[in-house]
Amino acid sequence: MNPNTEITGIVLAGGKSSRMGRDKGLIEVNGTPLVSRAIYLLQRYCGSVIISSGNSAYDRFGAPRIVDEIPNMGPVGGMISCIKKTETPWLLFLGCDMPLLDGEVLDLLVAAHREEKDAVVIRHNGEAEPLCGLYSRKALPHFEAALRGENYRLKDILNKLKTQFIDLPTPIFVRSFRSMNTPDEFRVIETLIS
């Protein structure tokens, strides 16, 4: 697939990684940091790629970095800052801790997006994965309203947007979205990638 100049890829790498004990995006698997895997994947679909993080250690990966305007708001804060500071009509957000995600999932997202929608997001058994989704700039007022209302739950924001959900079959979902929040979970994923 050729990169789409109307889409900016955003690697969400601003989490505290408290359960992991270290910054997840900088963890290496087979010598490659997880953030590099995410950048590489997004470059196949997006005209440009940006890292959303307050950690200057990410500057060495060659992608511009956007720091949250308002810190400690979780992914919502990073997403608002990125929508405000980019110019493309669409942003493809991807959490840095999804090393098993492959292009098949992003193919579905990019192919499905329609101008009349505010977001296209992966879902499985009724549960959305909002950190793997395509968001329109038109969604910004809804994000800002959520921030003013101190509701930082992305799933609540998705319910207010004109969201198109892409339902994944179980085998693809289970492989792509394995949890990676603790050292033990990371070791399991590392064996699957090796």
Side-chain angles (χ1 to χ4, degrees), residues 67-134:
V67 178
D68 294 2
E69 289 181 2
I70 305 172
N72 303 317
M73 297 295 152
V76 171
M79 294 170 86
I80 288 174
S81 298
C82 290
I83 294 171
K84 284 183 172 181
K85 294 181 180 179
T86 55
E87 298 179 357
T88 54
W90 292 90
L91 294 91
L92 179 52
F93 288 96
L94 181 62
C96 67
D97 58 351
M98 301 179 188
L100 298 178
L101 189 74
D102 63 29
E104 182 177 1
V105 173
L106 298 189
D107 285 339
L108 293 170
L109 283 173
V110 173
H113 92 276
R114 301 287 181 269
E115 291 304 318
E116 69 273 11
K117 297 295 183 183
D118 297 324
V120 184
V121 173
I122 295 300
R123 184 172 63 182
H124 176 69
N125 284 343
E127 286 294 317
E129 285 289 337
L131 299 186
C132 181
L134 193 62

Side-chain angles (χ1 to χ4, degrees), residues 23 31 34-35 75 85 99 108 131 137 161 178 180 185 193:
D23 196 318
L34 294 180
V35 69
K85 294 181 180 179
L108 293 170
L131 299 186
R137 296 186 61 74
L161 297 175
R178 295 270 318 221
M180 200 193 87
E185 289 172 347
I193 294 175

Side-chain angles (χ1 to χ4, degrees), residues 135-150:
Y135 292 81
S136 168
R137 296 186 61 74
K138 297 181 294 183
L140 181 60
H142 295 280
F143 277 93
E144 291 177 322
L147 202 60
R148 286 192 300 273
E150 297 184 5

